[in-house]
Every structure is written in C-alpha cells, then in structure tokens.
Amino acid sequence: MDDNTGGRRAAWRWRATAAMTGAALILGGCGSGDDDKAADPSPSATSGASAASGSPSASATGGGSTSLSPFQADPARVPRTKAQAEALASAVALKPQAWGAGFRAQQPAASTPGTVAVLDEQCRWERRPLTAGVLASLSRYSEIPAGAGKGELKVTAAVTVHATVLDADERLAATLEEPLRCREQQVRTDERITKLMSAATPYGQGSNNYADDQVVEIGSYLTGNSEQAYRWYVTRLGTVTLAVSVKGGQGYTDDQLNKYASNANVTMLNSVQFELGGDS
C-alpha cells in the first residue's frame, strides 16, 4: 500500500458520505419495522425495469461489470456459490458496534438464513426463500434503546449477493419503482410505511462517483398512532446490493438519521471493495 492510499480512501469516503446525505436531503425537500424491508430490494424486477432506473447496462456474467463503474472486482473473488456469498454477506453486513456508540443488537439480531424480504402484490412485506438470481442475503438489526429524553432508534444493515450483475441491477431498478406501486407498505399488523418517495442516482450522475447505482427512499414509519421519519438507502456495487434503513425516534433530527444511514452505507461499500479485492 502506498503512502497516499489512506488519504485517497478518506477523501473517497467523505465524498460518498456527503453525496448520499445530500441525496436524502434533496428528496426530503420534495415531500415529506420491521426492518426486513431493508433486507433486499423486492425480487419482482424485470429486465425492462433496468432501463427505467437509468443505470448503465450490465454484463450478465457474475464477474462482469460495465465500463461505467467506480470499481473493478477481482473476478476470482466474486462469489459463485452459496457458501462464498454467505461468507461475503456476513463479512460486510454491519454489526451493532459498527453503527456507533450506544447501539446494541435487536432481538432477533439477524434475518432467517436462506430467506429474502419480498413486497407482495398486496403491498405487504414478508420473508420468502431465496429467489432465482440471489445467492445469499443477510440483514442485521441494531438499535439504540429509548432513554435520556430520546425515543428508540432502530436500524438495519443488509447485504444481498446476486448471481450476476444483471440480477443485481434489476433488483435495484425494482426498488426504485416500488413506491410508485405501493405508496403505503404494510410491515406488520400495526406497523406500516407511508408517504414514500424514491430517487435514483446511477454512477456518473449527480455526485455519485462511489457506486454503480443507488436508490434513496424516504417516508414515515407508523406504529399505531406514532409516526417517525424513515430512511432507506439501497446501493449496488457489481453483484452486491447493500441496504440500510433507519427508523427515527423522538429527539432525533433528519440530519442525524441521514448521517447514520450514509455512514453505514459507505462503511459497507468500503468492506465490499476490500473483500472483492478490486481497485476503485
């Protein structure tokens, strides 16, 4: 590692964090759980959805990538099997301490192995067995308990490893379209997400120089009569999609929620680059 590597990574991290935070703030200016919602973009995408997202066309091979990409993985380290994909997801998905001071694991602390979150035709979130094109998916759930004049803050970090770049690209395109199909989404019997809006920033557009594509979704999380701000970031780098959700609590500002989400996303992007051994 040369002497400038640390400086370049620090500068890249700052740019990516600032860009992702800015995207959420801009989207928030336009409008206004079960954190399994962040476990994976809904697997109902079609190839046509990829074009709708405005993302670059992707190679259908697992190791392939577009020429318009911030990252070139080592093909030998791109997961091809379920076991390889599970190992990558486990290494990248943030544990509580990685979120910052005060975080602890929720109960349950992680998603059920071999499942993925799906938004069904009735706009309800549920976990189903892994779908075609998905090698592994892992969500880890963390929280800061209520106290010191603040409410409970719940977050999720999720990693999904796909069989091909095209599979990952199509999943992200579906994520962008979900709020159009389901402006209100049921999470549990007494929990739902509403007032949803989404925006995509493919690589090379706006300030996105850190990922192949990203979708930011904001809305309100309703538990009974309680309403809190909700943030969901889904980012793609090659065959890997990363998802971060933050469900706000009393005493937390939008800026704080955006910072938690963007920092978590950037940390996982760094981890993907490290694990896949490519150069950015």
Side-chain angles (χ1 to χ4, degrees):
M1 180 181 294
D2 62 61
D3 292 341
N4 293 324
T5 300
R8 288 199 303 270
R9 287 192 178 277
W12 176 88
R13 179 184 178 90
W14 181 88
R15 290 196 302 271
T17 302
M20 286 188 278
T21 301
L25 292 174
I26 291 171
L27 184 58
C30 297
S32 74
D34 181 295
D35 294 315
D36 275 350
K37 172 172 167 49
D40 183 48
S42 174
S44 60
T46 64
S47 58
S50 179
S53 75
S55 59
S57 59
S59 167
T61 62
S65 62
T66 70
S67 58
L68 297 175
S69 176
F71 175 73
Q72 298 296 323
D74 179 350
R77 301 183 69 174
V78 175
R80 306 285 182 175
T81 67
K82 179 181 177 182
Q84 292 171 341
E86 289 175 344
L88 176 65
S90 181
V92 174
L94 292 189
K95 296 179 180 178
Q97 59 270 26
W99 283 91
F103 280 95
R104 68 180 187 187
Q106 293 186 42
Q107 295 300 323
S111 56
T112 303
T115 66
V116 67
V118 175
L119 184 65
D120 69 16
E121 295 303 315
Q122 287 72 46
C123 299
R124 297 174 303 193
W125 283 97
E126 60 182 6
R127 296 201 70 88
R128 295 179 182 175
L130 295 179
T131 54
V134 178
L135 296 177
S137 184
L138 171 65
S139 297
R140 286 187 172 133
Y141 314 124
S142 305
E143 66 183 3
I144 296 180
K150 291 187 175 182
E152 184 180 60
L153 176 67
K154 290 190 173 183
V155 299
T156 292
V159 180
T160 300
V161 184
H162 304 267
T164 69
V165 170
L166 185 58
D167 289 324
D169 190 48
E170 290 180 346
R171 297 293 169 86
L172 206 70
T175 303
L176 177 64
E177 297 175 347
E178 283 171 353
L180 300 178
R181 177 169 71 90
C182 298
R183 187 97 192 279
E184 182 170 309
Q185 300 170 7
Q186 195 75 33
V187 181
R188 292 176 177 170
T189 302
D190 61 341
E191 297 182 22
R192 65 189 190 278
I193 307 168
T194 188
K195 302 177 184 177
L196 287 170
M197 301 178 65
S198 64
T201 309
Y203 175 66
Q205 295 187 18
S207 299
N208 182 2
N209 59 1
Y210 50 85
D212 291 316
D213 205 352
Q214 183 178 63
V215 172
V216 177
E217 187 174 302
I218 69 171
S220 296
Y221 200 105
L222 304 178
T223 304
N225 294 324
S226 173
E227 180 175 349
Q228 300 295 340
Y230 186 79
R231 299 287 185 271
W232 193 33
Y233 287 44
V234 184
T235 308
R236 181 178 72 82
L237 201 61
T239 60
V240 181
T241 54
L242 309 171
V244 171
S245 75
V246 178
K247 183 173 70 174
Q250 181 181 355
Y252 291 95
T253 67
D254 286 347
D255 284 349
Q256 288 175 309
L257 302 184
N258 292 333
K259 186 174 181 179
Y260 277 127
S262 59
N263 285 346
N265 213 353
V266 170
T267 299
M268 290 200 293
L269 279 169
N270 277 329
S271 294
V272 172
Q273 291 195 14
F274 175 81
E275 294 294 330
L276 297 186
D279 295 325
S280 60

PDB file of all heavy atoms in Angstrom, residues 73-109:
ATOM      1  N   ALA A  73     -13.847  -5.477  -9.597  1.00  0.00           N
ATOM      2  CA  ALA A  73     -13.547  -6.568  -8.672  1.00  0.00           C
ATOM      3  C   ALA A  73     -12.564  -7.546  -9.296  1.00  0.00           C
ATOM      4  O   ALA A  73     -12.450  -7.648 -10.523  1.00  0.00           O
ATOM      5  CB  ALA A  73     -14.826  -7.296  -8.289  1.00  0.00           C
ATOM      6  N   ASP A  74     -11.864  -8.266  -8.439  1.00  0.00           N
ATOM      7  CA  ASP A  74     -11.033  -9.380  -8.875  1.00  0.00           C
ATOM      8  C   ASP A  74     -11.991 -10.526  -9.225  1.00  0.00           C
ATOM      9  O   ASP A  74     -12.686 -11.035  -8.344  1.00  0.00           O
ATOM     10  CB  ASP A  74     -10.093  -9.786  -7.745  1.00  0.00           C
ATOM     11  CG  ASP A  74      -9.203 -10.969  -8.109  1.00  0.00           C
ATOM     12  OD1 ASP A  74      -9.435 -11.611  -9.161  1.00  0.00           O
ATOM     13  OD2 ASP A  74      -8.283 -11.266  -7.326  1.00  0.00           O
ATOM     14  N   PRO A  75     -12.084 -10.939 -10.484  1.00  0.00           N
ATOM     15  CA  PRO A  75     -13.050 -11.979 -10.873  1.00  0.00           C
ATOM     16  C   PRO A  75     -12.941 -13.243 -10.036  1.00  0.00           C
ATOM     17  O   PRO A  75     -13.948 -13.918  -9.791  1.00  0.00           O
ATOM     18  CB  PRO A  75     -12.702 -12.249 -12.341  1.00  0.00           C
ATOM     19  CG  PRO A  75     -12.077 -10.982 -12.817  1.00  0.00           C
ATOM     20  CD  PRO A  75     -11.301 -10.457 -11.642  1.00  0.00           C
ATOM     21  N   ALA A  76     -11.739 -13.547  -9.571  1.00  0.00           N
ATOM     22  CA  ALA A  76     -11.548 -14.768  -8.784  1.00  0.00           C
ATOM     23  C   ALA A  76     -12.188 -14.674  -7.405  1.00  0.00           C
ATOM     24  O   ALA A  76     -12.395 -15.697  -6.740  1.00  0.00           O
ATOM     25  CB  ALA A  76     -10.059 -15.069  -8.642  1.00  0.00           C
ATOM     26  N   ARG A  77     -12.514 -13.436  -6.964  1.00  0.00           N
ATOM     27  CA  ARG A  77     -13.065 -13.267  -5.622  1.00  0.00           C
ATOM     28  C   ARG A  77     -14.564 -12.952  -5.642  1.00  0.00           C
ATOM     29  O   ARG A  77     -15.168 -12.788  -4.584  1.00  0.00           O
ATOM     30  CB  ARG A  77     -12.294 -12.163  -4.888  1.00  0.00           C
ATOM     31  CG  ARG A  77     -10.805 -12.468  -4.772  1.00  0.00           C
ATOM     32  CD  ARG A  77     -10.054 -11.424  -4.004  1.00  0.00           C
ATOM     33  NE  ARG A  77     -10.404 -11.434  -2.588  1.00  0.00           N
ATOM     34  CZ  ARG A  77      -9.790 -10.690  -1.664  1.00  0.00           C
ATOM     35  NH1 ARG A  77      -8.799  -9.879  -2.028  1.00  0.00           N
ATOM     36  NH2 ARG A  77     -10.154 -10.760  -0.402  1.00  0.00           N
ATOM     37  N   VAL A  78     -15.144 -12.869  -6.820  1.00  0.00           N
ATOM     38  CA  VAL A  78     -16.588 -12.648  -6.917  1.00  0.00           C
ATOM     39  C   VAL A  78     -17.301 -13.952  -6.559  1.00  0.00           C
ATOM     40  O   VAL A  78     -17.023 -14.995  -7.150  1.00  0.00           O
ATOM     41  CB  VAL A  78     -16.988 -12.209  -8.339  1.00  0.00           C
ATOM     42  CG1 VAL A  78     -18.510 -12.113  -8.465  1.00  0.00           C
ATOM     43  CG2 VAL A  78     -16.358 -10.865  -8.671  1.00  0.00           C
ATOM     44  N   PRO A  79     -18.222 -13.950  -5.586  1.00  0.00           N
ATOM     45  CA  PRO A  79     -18.880 -15.189  -5.168  1.00  0.00           C
ATOM     46  C   PRO A  79     -19.618 -15.889  -6.300  1.00  0.00           C
ATOM     47  O   PRO A  79     -20.354 -15.244  -7.061  1.00  0.00           O
ATOM     48  CB  PRO A  79     -19.869 -14.709  -4.091  1.00  0.00           C
ATOM     49  CG  PRO A  79     -19.254 -13.455  -3.557  1.00  0.00           C
ATOM     50  CD  PRO A  79     -18.630 -12.801  -4.752  1.00  0.00           C
ATOM     51  N   ARG A  80     -19.396 -17.188  -6.399  1.00  0.00           N
ATOM     52  CA  ARG A  80     -20.077 -18.004  -7.400  1.00  0.00           C
ATOM     53  C   ARG A  80     -20.974 -19.055  -6.756  1.00  0.00           C
ATOM     54  O   ARG A  80     -21.833 -19.630  -7.414  1.00  0.00           O
ATOM     55  CB  ARG A  80     -19.045 -18.724  -8.273  1.00  0.00           C
ATOM     56  CG  ARG A  80     -18.019 -17.816  -8.923  1.00  0.00           C
ATOM     57  CD  ARG A  80     -18.588 -17.056 -10.077  1.00  0.00           C
ATOM     58  NE  ARG A  80     -17.577 -16.224 -10.719  1.00  0.00           N
ATOM     59  CZ  ARG A  80     -17.793 -15.515 -11.821  1.00  0.00           C
ATOM     60  NH1 ARG A  80     -18.985 -15.560 -12.402  1.00  0.00           N
ATOM     61  NH2 ARG A  80     -16.846 -14.766 -12.333  1.00  0.00           N
ATOM     62  N   THR A  81     -20.746 -19.328  -5.482  1.00  0.00           N
ATOM     63  CA  THR A  81     -21.502 -20.357  -4.784  1.00  0.00           C
ATOM     64  C   THR A  81     -22.242 -19.745  -3.598  1.00  0.00           C
ATOM     65  O   THR A  81     -21.931 -18.638  -3.154  1.00  0.00           O
ATOM     66  CB  THR A  81     -20.571 -21.463  -4.261  1.00  0.00           C
ATOM     67  OG1 THR A  81     -19.723 -20.923  -3.226  1.00  0.00           O
ATOM     68  CG2 THR A  81     -19.697 -22.012  -5.380  1.00  0.00           C
ATOM     69  N   LYS A  82     -23.196 -20.510  -3.078  1.00  0.00           N
ATOM     70  CA  LYS A  82     -23.950 -20.057  -1.916  1.00  0.00           C
ATOM     71  C   LYS A  82     -23.030 -19.832  -0.726  1.00  0.00           C
ATOM     72  O   LYS A  82     -23.156 -18.821  -0.018  1.00  0.00           O
ATOM     73  CB  LYS A  82     -25.023 -21.092  -1.572  1.00  0.00           C
ATOM     74  CG  LYS A  82     -25.855 -20.741  -0.348  1.00  0.00           C
ATOM     75  CD  LYS A  82     -26.891 -21.818  -0.057  1.00  0.00           C
ATOM     76  CE  LYS A  82     -27.674 -21.505   1.204  1.00  0.00           C
ATOM     77  NZ  LYS A  82     -28.666 -22.577   1.515  1.00  0.00           N
ATOM     78  N   ALA A  83     -22.092 -20.734  -0.497  1.00  0.00           N
ATOM     79  CA  ALA A  83     -21.194 -20.604   0.651  1.00  0.00           C
ATOM     80  C   ALA A  83     -20.321 -19.359   0.526  1.00  0.00           C
ATOM     81  O   ALA A  83     -20.105 -18.637   1.511  1.00  0.00           O
ATOM     82  CB  ALA A  83     -20.327 -21.852   0.768  1.00  0.00           C
ATOM     83  N   GLN A  84     -19.797 -19.094  -0.659  1.00  0.00           N
ATOM     84  CA  GLN A  84     -18.976 -17.899  -0.871  1.00  0.00           C
ATOM     85  C   GLN A  84     -19.796 -16.630  -0.652  1.00  0.00           C
ATOM     86  O   GLN A  84     -19.321 -15.663  -0.057  1.00  0.00           O
ATOM     87  CB  GLN A  84     -18.390 -17.910  -2.278  1.00  0.00           C
ATOM     88  CG  GLN A  84     -17.356 -18.990  -2.519  1.00  0.00           C
ATOM     89  CD  GLN A  84     -16.963 -19.108  -3.981  1.00  0.00           C
ATOM     90  OE1 GLN A  84     -17.689 -18.650  -4.880  1.00  0.00           O
ATOM     91  NE2 GLN A  84     -15.820 -19.736  -4.232  1.00  0.00           N
ATOM     92  N   ALA A  85     -21.023 -16.653  -1.136  1.00  0.00           N
ATOM     93  CA  ALA A  85     -21.894 -15.481  -0.996  1.00  0.00           C
ATOM     94  C   ALA A  85     -22.255 -15.239   0.466  1.00  0.00           C
ATOM     95  O   ALA A  85     -22.287 -14.092   0.934  1.00  0.00           O
ATOM     96  CB  ALA A  85     -23.157 -15.666  -1.835  1.00  0.00           C
ATOM     97  N   GLU A  86     -22.535 -16.306   1.196  1.00  0.00           N
ATOM     98  CA  GLU A  86     -22.862 -16.162   2.621  1.00  0.00           C
ATOM     99  C   GLU A  86     -21.686 -15.593   3.399  1.00  0.00           C
ATOM    100  O   GLU A  86     -21.861 -14.763   4.299  1.00  0.00           O
ATOM    101  CB  GLU A  86     -23.293 -17.511   3.194  1.00  0.00           C
ATOM    102  CG  GLU A  86     -24.661 -17.971   2.700  1.00  0.00           C
ATOM    103  CD  GLU A  86     -25.019 -19.364   3.189  1.00  0.00           C
ATOM    104  OE1 GLU A  86     -24.092 -20.088   3.647  1.00  0.00           O
ATOM    105  OE2 GLU A  86     -26.206 -19.741   3.113  1.00  0.00           O
ATOM    106  N   ALA A  87     -20.478 -16.027   3.060  1.00  0.00           N
ATOM    107  CA  ALA A  87     -19.296 -15.523   3.746  1.00  0.00           C
ATOM    108  C   ALA A  87     -19.107 -14.034   3.480  1.00  0.00           C
ATOM    109  O   ALA A  87     -18.765 -13.259   4.395  1.00  0.00           O
ATOM    110  CB  ALA A  87     -18.057 -16.300   3.291  1.00  0.00           C
ATOM    111  N   LEU A  88     -19.336 -13.603   2.247  1.00  0.00           N
ATOM    112  CA  LEU A  88     -19.207 -12.186   1.913  1.00  0.00           C
ATOM    113  C   LEU A  88     -20.257 -11.359   2.656  1.00  0.00           C
ATOM    114  O   LEU A  88     -19.939 -10.318   3.251  1.00  0.00           O
ATOM    115  CB  LEU A  88     -19.356 -11.977   0.409  1.00  0.00           C
ATOM    116  CG  LEU A  88     -19.339 -10.521  -0.056  1.00  0.00           C
ATOM    117  CD1 LEU A  88     -17.991  -9.874   0.221  1.00  0.00           C
ATOM    118  CD2 LEU A  88     -19.679 -10.421  -1.537  1.00  0.00           C
ATOM    119  N   ALA A  89     -21.505 -11.820   2.637  1.00  0.00           N
ATOM    120  CA  ALA A  89     -22.577 -11.081   3.311  1.00  0.00           C
ATOM    121  C   ALA A  89     -22.296 -10.944   4.800  1.00  0.00           C
ATOM    122  O   ALA A  89     -22.498  -9.879   5.396  1.00  0.00           O
ATOM    123  CB  ALA A  89     -23.915 -11.781   3.083  1.00  0.00           C
ATOM    124  N   SER A  90     -21.800 -12.008   5.428  1.00  0.00           N
ATOM    125  CA  SER A  90     -21.504 -11.972   6.855  1.00  0.00           C
ATOM    126  C   SER A  90     -20.372 -11.005   7.169  1.00  0.00           C
ATOM    127  O   SER A  90     -20.380 -10.333   8.209  1.00  0.00           O
ATOM    128  CB  SER A  90     -21.138 -13.376   7.346  1.00  0.00           C
ATOM    129  OG  SER A  90     -20.859 -13.378   8.725  1.00  0.00           O
ATOM    130  N   ALA A  91     -19.393 -10.912   6.270  1.00  0.00           N
ATOM    131  CA  ALA A  91     -18.256 -10.027   6.498  1.00  0.00           C
ATOM    132  C   ALA A  91     -18.623  -8.565   6.324  1.00  0.00           C
ATOM    133  O   ALA A  91     -18.035  -7.681   6.958  1.00  0.00           O
ATOM    134  CB  ALA A  91     -17.115 -10.388   5.549  1.00  0.00           C
ATOM    135  N   VAL A  92     -19.609  -8.272   5.486  1.00  0.00           N
ATOM    136  CA  VAL A  92     -19.924  -6.887   5.127  1.00  0.00           C
ATOM    137  C   VAL A  92     -21.058  -6.290   5.957  1.00  0.00           C
ATOM    138  O   VAL A  92     -21.019  -5.106   6.327  1.00  0.00           O
ATOM    139  CB  VAL A  92     -20.258  -6.793   3.622  1.00  0.00           C
ATOM    140  CG1 VAL A  92     -20.746  -5.388   3.256  1.00  0.00           C
ATOM    141  CG2 VAL A  92     -19.039  -7.162   2.777  1.00  0.00           C
ATOM    142  N   ALA A  93     -22.094  -7.065   6.267  1.00  0.00           N
ATOM    143  CA  ALA A  93     -23.258  -6.531   6.988  1.00  0.00           C
ATOM    144  C   ALA A  93     -22.843  -6.006   8.362  1.00  0.00           C
ATOM    145  O   ALA A  93     -22.223  -6.725   9.155  1.00  0.00           O
ATOM    146  CB  ALA A  93     -24.328  -7.607   7.144  1.00  0.00           C
ATOM    147  N   LEU A  94     -23.179  -4.762   8.666  1.00  0.00           N
ATOM    148  CA  LEU A  94     -22.713  -4.117   9.895  1.00  0.00           C
ATOM    149  C   LEU A  94     -23.297  -4.763  11.148  1.00  0.00           C
ATOM    150  O   LEU A  94     -24.491  -5.024  11.237  1.00  0.00           O
ATOM    151  CB  LEU A  94     -23.103  -2.641   9.904  1.00  0.00           C
ATOM    152  CG  LEU A  94     -22.430  -1.713   8.896  1.00  0.00           C
ATOM    153  CD1 LEU A  94     -22.777  -0.260   9.214  1.00  0.00           C
ATOM    154  CD2 LEU A  94     -20.928  -1.897   8.879  1.00  0.00           C
ATOM    155  N   LYS A  95     -22.402  -4.964  12.126  1.00  0.00           N
ATOM    156  CA  LYS A  95     -22.821  -5.372  13.460  1.00  0.00           C
ATOM    157  C   LYS A  95     -23.090  -4.114  14.286  1.00  0.00           C
ATOM    158  O   LYS A  95     -22.714  -3.001  13.887  1.00  0.00           O
ATOM    159  CB  LYS A  95     -21.738  -6.231  14.101  1.00  0.00           C
ATOM    160  CG  LYS A  95     -21.504  -7.544  13.357  1.00  0.00           C
ATOM    161  CD  LYS A  95     -20.399  -8.377  13.993  1.00  0.00           C
ATOM    162  CE  LYS A  95     -20.184  -9.674  13.232  1.00  0.00           C
ATOM    163  NZ  LYS A  95     -19.088 -10.489  13.810  1.00  0.00           N
ATOM    164  N   PRO A  96     -23.758  -4.255  15.435  1.00  0.00           N
ATOM    165  CA  PRO A  96     -24.164  -3.064  16.201  1.00  0.00           C
ATOM    166  C   PRO A  96     -23.041  -2.070  16.471  1.00  0.00           C
ATOM    167  O   PRO A  96     -23.218  -0.856  16.288  1.00  0.00           O
ATOM    168  CB  PRO A  96     -24.716  -3.658  17.499  1.00  0.00           C
ATOM    169  CG  PRO A  96     -25.226  -5.000  17.097  1.00  0.00           C
ATOM    170  CD  PRO A  96     -24.269  -5.495  16.047  1.00  0.00           C
ATOM    171  N   GLN A  97     -21.875  -2.561  16.904  1.00  0.00           N
ATOM    172  CA  GLN A  97     -20.797  -1.649  17.279  1.00  0.00           C
ATOM    173  C   GLN A  97     -20.301  -0.810  16.111  1.00  0.00           C
ATOM    174  O   GLN A  97     -19.733   0.276  16.309  1.00  0.00           O
ATOM    175  CB  GLN A  97     -19.630  -2.422  17.900  1.00  0.00           C
ATOM    176  CG  GLN A  97     -18.994  -3.480  17.019  1.00  0.00           C
ATOM    177  CD  GLN A  97     -19.630  -4.849  17.167  1.00  0.00           C
ATOM    178  OE1 GLN A  97     -20.794  -4.959  17.530  1.00  0.00           O
ATOM    179  NE2 GLN A  97     -18.845  -5.891  16.905  1.00  0.00           N
ATOM    180  N   ALA A  98     -20.512  -1.292  14.887  1.00  0.00           N
ATOM    181  CA  ALA A  98     -20.047  -0.553  13.716  1.00  0.00           C
ATOM    182  C   ALA A  98     -20.925   0.669  13.423  1.00  0.00           C
ATOM    183  O   ALA A  98     -20.506   1.566  12.688  1.00  0.00           O
ATOM    184  CB  ALA A  98     -20.002  -1.469  12.498  1.00  0.00           C
ATOM    185  N   TRP A  99     -22.125   0.697  13.985  1.00  0.00           N
ATOM    186  CA  TRP A  99     -23.009   1.846  13.793  1.00  0.00           C
ATOM    187  C   TRP A  99     -22.587   3.038  14.644  1.00  0.00           C
ATOM    188  O   TRP A  99     -22.897   4.179  14.303  1.00  0.00           O
ATOM    189  CB  TRP A  99     -24.446   1.469  14.140  1.00  0.00           C
ATOM    190  CG  TRP A  99     -25.154   0.670  13.099  1.00  0.00           C
ATOM    191  CD1 TRP A  99     -25.203  -0.685  12.989  1.00  0.00           C
ATOM    192  CD2 TRP A  99     -25.923   1.185  12.013  1.00  0.00           C
ATOM    193  NE1 TRP A  99     -25.964  -1.050  11.908  1.00  0.00           N
ATOM    194  CE2 TRP A  99     -26.418   0.074  11.297  1.00  0.00           C
ATOM    195  CE3 TRP A  99     -26.265   2.470  11.586  1.00  0.00           C
ATOM    196  CZ2 TRP A  99     -27.216   0.218  10.159  1.00  0.00           C
ATOM    197  CZ3 TRP A  99     -27.062   2.618  10.456  1.00  0.00           C
ATOM    198  CH2 TRP A  99     -27.531   1.504   9.750  1.00  0.00           C
ATOM    199  N   GLY A 100     -21.939   2.779  15.773  1.00  0.00           N
ATOM    200  CA  GLY A 100     -21.521   3.864  16.642  1.00  0.00           C
ATOM    201  C   GLY A 100     -21.865   3.587  18.095  1.00  0.00           C
ATOM    202  O   GLY A 100     -22.424   2.531  18.452  1.00  0.00           O
ATOM    203  N   ALA A 101     -21.549   4.555  18.934  1.00  0.00           N
ATOM    204  CA  ALA A 101     -21.757   4.404  20.379  1.00  0.00           C
ATOM    205  C   ALA A 101     -23.236   4.253  20.706  1.00  0.00           C
ATOM    206  O   ALA A 101     -24.096   4.917  20.121  1.00  0.00           O
ATOM    207  CB  ALA A 101     -21.187   5.616  21.108  1.00  0.00           C
ATOM    208  N   GLY A 102     -23.532   3.356  21.641  1.00  0.00           N
ATOM    209  CA  GLY A 102     -24.892   3.206  22.147  1.00  0.00           C
ATOM    210  C   GLY A 102     -25.718   2.155  21.445  1.00  0.00           C
ATOM    211  O   GLY A 102     -26.808   1.795  21.927  1.00  0.00           O
ATOM    212  N   PHE A 103     -25.250   1.621  20.328  1.00  0.00           N
ATOM    213  CA  PHE A 103     -26.039   0.627  19.592  1.00  0.00           C
ATOM    214  C   PHE A 103     -25.863  -0.763  20.193  1.00  0.00           C
ATOM    215  O   PHE A 103     -24.784  -1.124  20.672  1.00  0.00           O
ATOM    216  CB  PHE A 103     -25.636   0.599  18.119  1.00  0.00           C
ATOM    217  CG  PHE A 103     -26.242   1.705  17.297  1.00  0.00           C
ATOM    218  CD1 PHE A 103     -25.536   2.875  17.075  1.00  0.00           C
ATOM    219  CD2 PHE A 103     -27.510   1.574  16.749  1.00  0.00           C
ATOM    220  CE1 PHE A 103     -26.081   3.910  16.324  1.00  0.00           C
ATOM    221  CE2 PHE A 103     -28.069   2.595  16.002  1.00  0.00           C
ATOM    222  CZ  PHE A 103     -27.344   3.770  15.791  1.00  0.00           C
ATOM    223  N   ARG A 104     -26.938  -1.538  20.147  1.00  0.00           N
ATOM    224  CA  ARG A 104     -26.911  -2.931  20.572  1.00  0.00           C
ATOM    225  C   ARG A 104     -27.743  -3.734  19.576  1.00  0.00           C
ATOM    226  O   ARG A 104     -28.486  -3.172  18.757  1.00  0.00           O
ATOM    227  CB  ARG A 104     -27.494  -3.082  21.974  1.00  0.00           C
ATOM    228  CG  ARG A 104     -28.993  -2.809  22.032  1.00  0.00           C
ATOM    229  CD  ARG A 104     -29.548  -2.973  23.440  1.00  0.00           C
ATOM    230  NE  ARG A 104     -31.011  -2.862  23.436  1.00  0.00           N
ATOM    231  CZ  ARG A 104     -31.754  -2.833  24.538  1.00  0.00           C
ATOM    232  NH1 ARG A 104     -31.165  -2.900  25.734  1.00  0.00           N
ATOM    233  NH2 ARG A 104     -33.070  -2.745  24.453  1.00  0.00           N
ATOM    234  N   ALA A 105     -27.641  -5.058  19.631  1.00  0.00           N
ATOM    235  CA  ALA A 105     -28.406  -5.917  18.738  1.00  0.00           C
ATOM    236  C   ALA A 105     -29.872  -5.919  19.129  1.00  0.00           C
ATOM    237  O   ALA A 105     -30.216  -5.923  20.314  1.00  0.00           O
ATOM    238  CB  ALA A 105     -27.855  -7.332  18.767  1.00  0.00           C
ATOM    239  N   GLN A 106     -30.745  -5.899  18.119  1.00  0.00           N
ATOM    240  CA  GLN A 106     -32.165  -6.115  18.364  1.00  0.00           C
ATOM    241  C   GLN A 106     -32.382  -7.613  18.583  1.00  0.00           C
ATOM    242  O   GLN A 106     -31.496  -8.428  18.403  1.00  0.00           O
ATOM    243  CB  GLN A 106     -33.002  -5.652  17.159  1.00  0.00           C
ATOM    244  CG  GLN A 106     -33.005  -4.161  16.900  1.00  0.00           C
ATOM    245  CD  GLN A 106     -33.980  -3.796  15.792  1.00  0.00           C
ATOM    246  OE1 GLN A 106     -35.097  -4.322  15.721  1.00  0.00           O
ATOM    247  NE2 GLN A 106     -33.568  -2.887  14.919  1.00  0.00           N
ATOM    248  N   GLN A 107     -33.586  -7.954  18.978  1.00  0.00           N
ATOM    249  CA  GLN A 107     -33.981  -9.347  19.089  1.00  0.00           C
ATOM    250  C   GLN A 107     -35.177  -9.595  18.181  1.00  0.00           C
ATOM    251  O   GLN A 107     -36.227  -9.009  18.405  1.00  0.00           O
ATOM    252  CB  GLN A 107     -34.310  -9.701  20.535  1.00  0.00           C
ATOM    253  CG  GLN A 107     -33.113  -9.609  21.463  1.00  0.00           C
ATOM    254  CD  GLN A 107     -31.979 -10.531  21.059  1.00  0.00           C
ATOM    255  OE1 GLN A 107     -32.218 -11.655  20.594  1.00  0.00           O
ATOM    256  NE2 GLN A 107     -30.743 -10.063  21.223  1.00  0.00           N
ATOM    257  N   PRO A 108     -35.035 -10.390  17.117  1.00  0.00           N
ATOM    258  CA  PRO A 108     -33.828 -11.118  16.728  1.00  0.00           C
ATOM    259  C   PRO A 108     -32.764 -10.174  16.173  1.00  0.00           C
ATOM    260  O   PRO A 108     -33.068  -9.069  15.727  1.00  0.00           O
ATOM    261  CB  PRO A 108     -34.331 -12.079  15.650  1.00  0.00           C
ATOM    262  CG  PRO A 108     -35.485 -11.356  15.036  1.00  0.00           C
ATOM    263  CD  PRO A 108     -36.157 -10.643  16.182  1.00  0.00           C
ATOM    264  N   ALA A 109     -31.524 -10.648  16.195  1.00  0.00           N
ATOM    265  CA  ALA A 109     -30.402  -9.819  15.754  1.00  0.00           C
ATOM    266  C   ALA A 109     -30.148  -9.909  14.258  1.00  0.00           C
ATOM    267  O   ALA A 109     -29.459  -9.063  13.703  1.00  0.00           O
ATOM    268  CB  ALA A 109     -29.136 -10.224  16.509  1.00  0.00           C
TER     269      ALA A 109
END
